[in-house]
Amino acid sequence: NFFCDANKDFCTDKRVDPYIRSFLDGYCSRRSCRQCAFRTGRSGADIVIGDFWGIEKCRPDLDDDRGISCVLIYTEKGRRLFSKLGIEKTIVSYAEVVFRNHVEDETVGSKYRWLFMHLFKKIGITKARKIVLSCEKVERVARRVWQRMLVK
């Protein structure tokens, strides 16, 4: 469990934080998020704002370790509105944004999401992750054994 003071920032390493790992592994994302029209440019929005994941890989000069927002402008109206904001900005290529942010694809959630969500409510996120990861490992091993048996 995480408890945050409203007056303090919470910062964690995405490689070890159980919530972030669960989200990235597809255990706790909703179908509506995985199929979001805003993520894929189909929403009809003039502007879409989100986190710029992977900024440290493609543009380390912009990485401040606090997070960088990404603004995708899809229409001329969006361009006019954004130009009136007068905020600090750096233009990067669409390819740099798409490369790490999966803007154009719909992610696939884990087939173990239902199990994770059920366990999470009963035993917490850390224990739920351990059980689901064990299930995935057993499945991978079983698949390898099965493939070897078919080859013989």
Side-chain angles (χ1 to χ4, degrees):
N1 293 337
F2 294 107
F3 297 95
C4 298
D5 181 337
N7 297 321
K8 294 183 181 177
D9 290 339
F10 174 74
C11 186
T12 186
D13 186 335
K14 68 181 176 186
R15 293 170 296 197
V16 296
D17 180 77
Y19 171 75
I20 294 174
R21 292 299 333 145
S22 297
F23 175 77
L24 294 174
D25 290 340
Y27 299 147
C28 56
S29 60
R30 295 174 181 248
R31 183 181 306 123
S32 59
C33 293
R34 294 190 305 271
Q35 298 172 344
C36 178
F38 288 98
R39 286 185 51 230
T40 56
R42 299 183 316 244
S43 69
D46 298 304
I47 297 174
V48 173
I49 301 171
D51 294 331
F52 196 143
W53 290 47
I55 190 78
E56 71 281 357
K57 301 275 194 282
C58 67
R59 292 295 300 271
D61 56 308
L62 300 176
D63 183 21
D64 65 1
D65 267 349
R66 295 182 311 150
I68 299 290
S69 294
C70 177
V71 178
L72 297 174
I73 301 171
Y74 287 106
T75 66
E76 185 56 37
K77 178 182 177 184
R79 188 173 314 286
R80 284 192 315 271
L81 290 170
F82 188 74
S83 69
K84 292 179 182 179
L85 295 176
I87 59 173
E88 180 183 345
K89 61 186 175 280
T90 300
I91 297 174
V92 298
S93 72
Y94 187 72
E96 288 176 301
V97 174
V98 172
F99 179 64
R100 298 251 184 236
N101 290 278
H102 307 286
V103 172
E104 294 179 340
D105 61 328
E106 294 178 1
T107 60
V108 177
S110 170
K111 66 182 176 182
Y112 292 102
R113 181 187 185 279
W114 64 271
L115 176 61
F116 174 82
M117 295 306 287
H118 176 76
L119 292 171
F120 167 69
K121 292 173 187 171
K122 298 203 180 288
I123 61 176
I125 195 165
T126 303
K127 290 179 182 175
R129 265 189 71 69
K130 284 181 183 179
I131 291 170
V132 171
L133 288 170
S134 296
C135 291
E136 287 183 339
K137 185 174 184 178
V138 167
E139 182 182 359
R140 281 192 307 272
V141 170
R143 193 178 307 120
R144 274 186 259 154
V145 168
W146 181 251
Q147 287 170 343
R148 288 181 188 147
M149 289 173 58
L150 291 175
V151 171
K152 291 183 180 183

